[in-house]
Amino acid sequence: MKKVIAKNQMVEVVMEDKPKIKENYLLIKTVYSVISPGTELTLIGISQDREIHLGYSAVGVVEEAGENVTGIKVGDRIACYGAPYVRHSEYLLVPKTLCCKVPDNVHTCEAALGGIGAIAIHGLRTAKLQFGEKVVVVGLGVIGQLIAQIAEAAAYDVYAYDLSRERTELLRQNSNVHCFTNTEELRTALKEGSPYPGADAVLLCTGGKHSNLTEESLKWIRDKGKVVIVGDIEPEFPRAGMFAKEAEILIARAGGPGRYDSVFEKDAIDYPYGYVRWTEGRNMGEYLRLVSEKKINVLPYVKEKVELEHIESAYKGLINKNSPILTKIISYS
């Protein structure tokens, strides 16, 4: 079978044996997988003299179900998430805890975003907002776009910022979120209409490591507000700004509880619902529910499809941070 790797800062398609089914796992024939530009372009950049698998969010059809897998049968469409099990490959062997059945009314390419949707949902949950509170989403790549839409669906008062006018316009077309490309205009808007100026939380969904946005975000929050790091940005916050508002700095780790836990993932042992409500798998299921019930619209993000033989050019096209093309869908037809 074919799979996509990074090596020596290049993207290649190589061959590998098709995986064999095992207990508590699903063997999935991939239909689509999604390129996550922020993560994958970084991995390509550090792939000197070694092979790195790319990708972590996909959808496909069950070819075989292992022992102890219930509620899923051969032929079902399945969204799946989480490296190293999910990647850009023609076949995937995935623990059942990282799989969700796709509702009938959800398009297969929409379901391919399931893993990215789980990351967006977990990032928003990390802020621990309450009904009616105000949130700022900074960076309108695909994760930022999803967070902003999901936050609006949860009835938060949502403000979004990105330097790219094309990306703010893309969000405006699919939501009623207040969008800004200028930090001064954003700060002014956060002061209006309330005796308590500022946001309850700022979610930093941008990358670029060192950024003045960390310091700037402290100016946007209210007293005892929160800043949540979602993207690949260094947490460099000046003490004076944190102290003045007793700010809370948080970081969201991937798609939720279970990520990087070998018992949950490799051994496919789920956490009891009564103790852990929202695992990475259940967050993915919640994303699919939001799409199914038309609470969010992700179709504008999955229009760009690419075949495996054109994969290298697909990555080159995602380097431009001002582009309205946020991701590309790899087709395995």
Side-chain angles (χ1 to χ4, degrees):
M1 70 174 186
K2 296 176 182 177
K3 66 175 182 178
V4 179
I5 63 162
K7 186 177 182 181
N8 293 324
Q9 299 181 322
M10 300 290 289
V11 176
E12 301 178 30
V13 177
V14 298
M15 298 299 294
E16 183 180 73
D17 291 339
K18 179 180 172 182
K20 295 181 180 179
I21 194 64
K22 53 194 280 190
E23 185 180 6
N24 291 320
Y25 279 64
L26 292 168
L27 179 61
I28 298 168
K29 189 178 190 306
T30 314
V31 177
Y32 297 118
S33 63
V34 180
I35 297 174
S36 178
T39 300
E40 295 182 43
L41 291 174
T42 299
L43 291 174
I44 293 167
I46 63 171
S47 62
Q48 296 282 22
D49 301 317
R50 59 178 175 143
E51 288 189 3
I52 298 178
H53 290 109
L54 299 175
Y56 59 79
S57 184
V59 65
V61 177
V62 175
E63 186 162 288
E64 199 171 349
E67 291 184 32
N68 296 327
V69 174
T70 59
I72 295 174
K73 64 183 185 301
V74 172
D76 283 346
R77 291 185 304 155
I78 295 293
C80 51
Y81 160 62
Y85 313 99
V86 180
R87 54 200 188 186
H88 302 318
S89 177
E90 289 184 302
Y91 286 89
L92 301 168
L93 184 64
V94 188
K96 63 183 182 182
T97 47
L98 300 178
C99 296
C100 287
K101 283 182 67 171
V102 179
D104 291 341
N105 67 332
V106 172
H107 195 284
T108 306
C109 63
E110 293 176 304
L113 284 167
I116 295 176
I119 292 171
I121 288 173
H122 180 59
L124 192 57
R125 290 194 197 284
T126 302
K128 297 179 181 177
L129 293 166
Q130 297 188 50
F131 177 77
E133 290 191 323
K134 188 175 292 186
V135 58
V136 176
V137 181
V138 180
L140 295 178
V142 64
I143 289 178
Q145 297 265 343
L146 287 175
I147 289 177
Q149 284 203 51
I150 294 165
E152 185 189 27
Y156 301 138
D157 189 11
V158 188
Y159 294 70
Y161 167 76
D162 196 292
L163 284 171
S164 168
R165 190 166 300 279
E166 289 83 358
R167 293 189 175 192
T168 56
E169 285 301 318
L170 181 61
L171 180 58
R172 276 198 186 100
Q173 292 167 15
N174 296 291
S175 71
N176 294 311
V177 171
H178 313 288
C179 295
F180 301 87
T181 57
N182 181 289
T183 56
E184 288 302 318
E185 291 177 1
L186 171 60
R187 194 186 305 182
T188 299
L190 291 172
K191 292 178 181 178
E192 295 175 347
S194 171
Y196 311 105
D200 296 284
V202 174
L203 278 73
L204 296 175
C205 305
T206 186
K209 294 295 184 179
H210 302 280
S211 172
N212 65 344
L213 286 171
T214 50
E215 181 174 358
E216 191 73 18
S217 64
L218 294 174
K219 301 173 184 176
W220 300 336
I221 59 173
R222 294 171 173 161
D223 189 48
K224 297 191 177 181
K226 307 164 189 172
V227 178
V228 181
I229 300 168
V230 180
D232 185 17
I233 192 168
E234 286 295 330
E236 296 177 342
F237 297 89
R239 184 184 185 281
M242 294 174 61
F243 181 85
K245 294 180 177 177
E246 200 171 356
E248 190 174 356
I249 310 299
L250 303 164
I251 189 164
R253 186 173 69 177
R259 194 68 185 113
Y260 309 115
D261 177 358
S262 61
V263 173
F264 181 88
E265 294 188 333
K266 184 178 180 180
D267 297 339
I269 298 175
D270 203 352
Y271 299 144
Y273 184 78
Y275 291 91
V276 183
R277 283 285 195 270
W278 296 108
T279 64
E280 53 184 332
R282 290 194 267 274
N283 278 335
M284 182 166 53
E286 182 64 6
Y287 161 81
L288 293 171
R289 181 187 73 84
L290 291 171
V291 175
S292 174
E293 296 181 3
K294 311 302 181 187
K295 299 292 176 67
I296 60 174
N297 178 19
V298 303
L299 282 174
Y301 310 142
V302 291
K303 290 181 176 179
E304 295 285 328
K305 296 184 178 66
V306 61
E307 303 293 331
L308 276 175
E309 55 264 32
H310 302 129
I311 193 66
E312 188 173 353
S313 62
Y315 282 92
K316 290 178 180 177
L318 291 169
I319 293 173
N320 182 4
K321 299 295 184 182
N322 289 317
S323 172
I325 299 172
L326 307 179
T327 183
K328 295 191 178 183
I329 307 297
I330 302 174
S331 172
Y332 297 83
S333 59

